[in-house]
């Protein structure tokens, strides 16, 4: 935009106001020119490496190790730099030192005779690796990532080489001095963590941080401290978000799942939520019930007394019955959800212990329902209501849980468009004829579909958490959040029903079937993928859909690559609960300047063995797409933003030169 004095009227006033604001940041022609040159140069740097992970399900040790080793990338960098001069054992040791510097240092130095030489050798190696992984970034970006205590020193070492005669002594003296003054351990730890940070420019979590495994809270702490991360909400995440908002049905479901997987510690110790009222209630009402069908799922390495298991089973059953009642309240309150077929308590014949489903009568394997009134089966008894209120109070007042959920709102969304990739956890509701399914939301019965449907869902979920001064909107948002956990048209769930009641109370497995929705029948169809790309404003020729949610059964011949590479399902079973099904222990999708790679991981035994025995996760990498020309920052979403900034700065430059805005010299 070129400016003359006569132009400063009407339609240009808003641009002028903006340029005046911009001039505060770049008050002179020289500063504006410098920034234009800088941004133009950045456009030609290689794009940063993105890592995509999904379905972590609380497996914090495996997750943390995958981050620390960058899905095998760090070891490959070491092999690239030192592959000709280091043995395989030395490469493993150096890799482990980078992953776990503090813990590994203590072990490595314990038996070392010449500690000073060891420090010198390994510090030089770490600097060389760091120089290699930082080479694709600007000095400013690397400077911002530098650890505060060693920022100046590391920057000097990265940009000066020991083989330059005029700087050889300078370089060596820095290393010697760090060792002499007793700061070598801290330096090694700092530069190792810098390497970890630089090899992953951006981390995408495509849903399901919570449930199953023991450490979702630890995973959340890691993500909150990560330098660049986004989250696409999964059905298990949305369940915890609903619980944190105060949805009683979500709270009951969270506790039921934690009891089922013997994972109540995350509730009590991780989030400080008092579950003693639930234990007391269970003992009062289910003391004479063995609750065999509610025995928790136990891993081989878990050890619990029979007394503990019985109590957990009783708590499990007690909260399950409460969950079914609370879900019934929502279903009756929101008939447009279309979940009337999930009202099952009123279909029980309590006299003969049977239930009638779809015209067929089934015998219940458990007919002990001490808290259910056959005349009004969805009514909470006073003791249940008191328990629910206590639990809700604890969830709403858990500082750590609320902090984690606010982070999910700040960094999360139902879907994300990023660098020609469309990320969402589960699915898009579709009809058999390839069209987007219309879904009713709200009492008015308005229908939404495709992108607009997902956008509307996100707004309502946020209202369910944040609209504390609008009780009706908040309640609807909480009910909708619960629907996203279990509803047939939920893009986070993707099944026709959730047969929780049937799995507990009916032996006939035909009642346990949960059919996947149409999306999963069509996800291998390129035309369907192209239709979705166009709906979300992406180029079908260059874009990919990235999903999690459904574990890929590799050992049964399933492939994560769908629709000729247009759709990628990257749930490979990071959660131990799924590894028998998948045959592997997780995927990482890696998108770097050379193309797309898919790393499949073998199971991770423990952090202790990784440190002591240098047992890394064995990862196999498959190249999905290789770029003919290396991708640059200019080819990314960031590149588009930078070009916009350049255009604005050129407008400011023109305004300075025409005298429309005066320089602030």
């Amino acid at each position: 935009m070129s400016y003359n004095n006569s132009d400063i009227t009407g339609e240009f006033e808003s641009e002028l106001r903006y340029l005046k604001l911009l001039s505060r940041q770049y008050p002179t022609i020289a500063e504006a020119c410098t920034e234009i040159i800088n941004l133009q140069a950045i456009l030609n740097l290689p794009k940063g490496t993105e890592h995509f992970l999904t379905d972590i399900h609380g497996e914090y040790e495996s997750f943390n190790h995958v981050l620390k080793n960058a899905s095998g990338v760090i070891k490959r960098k070491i092999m690239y730099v030192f592959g000709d001069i280091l043995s395989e054992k030395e490469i493993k040791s150096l890799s482990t030192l980078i992953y776990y510097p503090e813990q590994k240092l203590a072990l490595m130095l314990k038996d070392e005779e010449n500690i000073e030489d060891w420090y010198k050798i390994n510090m030089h190696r770490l600097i060389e690796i760091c120089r290699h992984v930082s080479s694709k970034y600007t000095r400013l970006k690397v400077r911002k990532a530098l650890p505060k205590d060693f920022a100046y020193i590391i920057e000097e070492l990265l940009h000066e080489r020991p083989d330059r005669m005029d700087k050889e002594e300078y370089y060596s003296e820095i290393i010697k001095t760090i060792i002499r003054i007793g700061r070598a351990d801290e330096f090694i730890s700092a530069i190792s963590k810098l390497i970890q940070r630089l090899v992953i420019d951006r981390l995408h979590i495509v849903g399901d941080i919570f449930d199953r495994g023991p450490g979702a809270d630890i995973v959340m702490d890691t993500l909150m401290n990560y330098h660049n991360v986004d989250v696409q909400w999964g059905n298990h995440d949305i369940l915890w978000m609903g619980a944190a908002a105060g949805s009683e049905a979500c709270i009951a479901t969270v506790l039921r799942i934690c009891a089922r997987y013997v994972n109540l510690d995350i509730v009590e110790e991780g989030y400080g939520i008092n579950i003693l009222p639930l234990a007391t209630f269970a003992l009062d009402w289910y003391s004479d019930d063995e609750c065999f069908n509610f025995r928790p799922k136990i891993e081989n390495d878990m050890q619990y007394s029979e007394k503990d298991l019985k109590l957990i089973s009783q708590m499990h059953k007690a909260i399950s019955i409460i969950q079914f009642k609370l879900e019934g309240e929502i279903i009756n309150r929101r008939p447009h959800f279309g979940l009337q077929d999930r009202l099952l308590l009123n279909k029980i014949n309590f006299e003969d212990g049977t239930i009638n489903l779809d015209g067929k009568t089934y015998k219940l394997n458990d007919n002990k329902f001490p808290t259910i009134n056959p005349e009004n089966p969805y009514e909470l008894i006073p003791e249940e209501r008191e328990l629910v209120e206590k639990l809700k109070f604890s969830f709403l007042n858990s500082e750590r849980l609320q902090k984690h959920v606010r982070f999910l709102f700040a960094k999360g969304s139902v879907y994300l468009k990023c660098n020609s990739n469309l990320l969402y956890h589960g699915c898009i509701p579709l009809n058999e004829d390839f069209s987007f399914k219309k879904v009713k939301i709200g009492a008015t019965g308005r229908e939404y579909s495709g992108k607009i449907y997902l956008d509307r869902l996100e707004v309502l979920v946020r209202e369910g958490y944040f609209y504390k001064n609008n009780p009706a909107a908040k309640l609807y948002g909480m009910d909708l959040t619960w629907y996203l956990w279990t509803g047939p048209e939920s893009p986070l769930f993707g099944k026709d029903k959730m047969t929780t009641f049937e799995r507990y109370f009916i032996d006939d497995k035909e009642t346990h079937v949960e059919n996947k929705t149409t999306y999963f029948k069509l996800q291998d169809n390129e035309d369907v993928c192209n239709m979705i790309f166009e709906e979300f404003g992406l180029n079908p020729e260059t874009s990919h859909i990235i999903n999690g949610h459904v574990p890929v059964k590799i050992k049964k011949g399933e492939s994560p690559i769908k629709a000729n590479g247009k759709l990628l399902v990257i749930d490979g079973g990071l959660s131990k609960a799924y590894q028998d099904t998948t045959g592997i222990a997780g995927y990482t999708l890696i998108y770097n300047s050379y193309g797309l790679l898919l790393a499949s991981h073998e199971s991770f035994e423990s952090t202790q063995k990784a440190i002591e025995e240098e047992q890394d996760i064995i990862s196999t990498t498959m190249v999905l797409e290789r770029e003919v020309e290396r991708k640059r920052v200019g080819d990314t979403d960031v590149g588009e933003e930078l070009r916009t900034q350049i255009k604005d700065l050129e407008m400011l430059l023109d305004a300075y030169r025409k005298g429309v805005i005066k320089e602030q010299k």
Side-chain angles (χ1 to χ4, degrees), residues 12-26:
F12 297 112
E13 288 182 358
S14 60
E15 283 98 338
L16 181 60
R17 283 195 296 270
Y18 168 69
L19 291 178
K20 285 181 176 178
L21 289 173
L22 191 61
S23 71
R24 295 178 185 176
Q25 189 173 357
Y26 306 100

Side-chain angles (χ1 to χ4, degrees), residues 252-391:
T253 308
V254 161
L255 292 171
R256 177 185 65 78
I257 293 172
C258 287
R260 180 174 175 80
Y261 289 92
V262 203
N263 197 18
L264 289 165
D265 283 351
I266 188 177
V267 177
E268 194 163 29
E269 296 176 14
Y271 288 121
I273 292 169
N274 184 12
I275 59 171
L276 181 59
L278 175 57
T280 303
F281 176 86
L283 287 173
D284 286 345
W285 289 89
Y286 295 90
S287 59
D288 61 345
D289 189 342
E290 294 295 328
C291 301
F292 286 118
N293 294 331
F294 293 85
R295 299 284 282 190
K297 292 181 177 290
I298 306 175
E299 299 290 338
N300 293 332
D301 57 347
M302 294 180 178
Q303 294 184 353
Y304 291 89
S305 68
E306 185 58 33
K307 182 179 179 182
D308 287 341
L309 288 175
K310 183 177 179 181
L311 176 58
I312 294 171
S313 302
Q314 291 165 337
M315 294 166 69
H316 186 184
K317 183 174 181 180
I319 200 66
S320 297
I321 298 301
I322 291 172
Q323 175 192 321
F324 300 141
K325 290 183 177 184
L326 293 170
E327 289 177 338
E329 290 181 4
I330 297 176
I331 294 168
N332 286 319
R333 184 162 60 234
R334 312 294 180 192
H336 61 278
F337 282 178
L339 290 171
Q340 285 74 17
D341 63 326
R342 293 287 83 208
L343 293 171
L344 302 181
L345 298 185
N346 56 302
K347 295 174 181 165
I348 297 174
N349 185 323
F350 291 92
E351 292 183 2
D352 63 9
T354 61
I355 188 169
N356 189 283
L357 301 178
D358 299 321
K360 189 172 181 179
T361 300
Y362 299 91
K363 185 72 177 177
L364 297 176
N365 54 36
D366 180 349
N367 196 26
K368 294 181 178 178
F369 300 107
T371 67
I372 294 181
N373 174 8
E375 300 300 319
N376 190 359
Y378 297 102
E379 181 183 34
L380 295 176
I381 64 172
E383 293 85 349
E384 286 175 322
R385 172 46 59 194
E386 182 182 0
L387 171 61
V388 168
E389 292 299 329
K390 287 179 178 178
L391 293 171

Side-chain angles (χ1 to χ4, degrees), residues 54-55 206 208 235 425-426 492-495 520 547-551 571:
T54 185
D55 295 271
V206 195
D208 278 1
N235 53 319
H425 180 69
L492 279 60
F493 179 49
K495 295 181 181 179
F520 297 98
N547 285 171
H549 190 50
V550 179
D571 180 5

Side-chain angles (χ1 to χ4, degrees), residues 24 90 163 169 183 190 214 227 295 308 355 360 367 379 386 475 498 518 549 567 605 624:
R24 295 178 185 176
E90 288 173 316
D163 53 358
E169 290 186 13
R183 292 282 284 168
H227 57 277
R295 299 284 282 190
D308 287 341
I355 188 169
K360 189 172 181 179
N367 196 26
E379 181 183 34
E386 182 182 0
L475 180 61
M498 189 177 290
T518 304
H549 190 50
L567 189 149
E605 192 161 345
L624 300 179

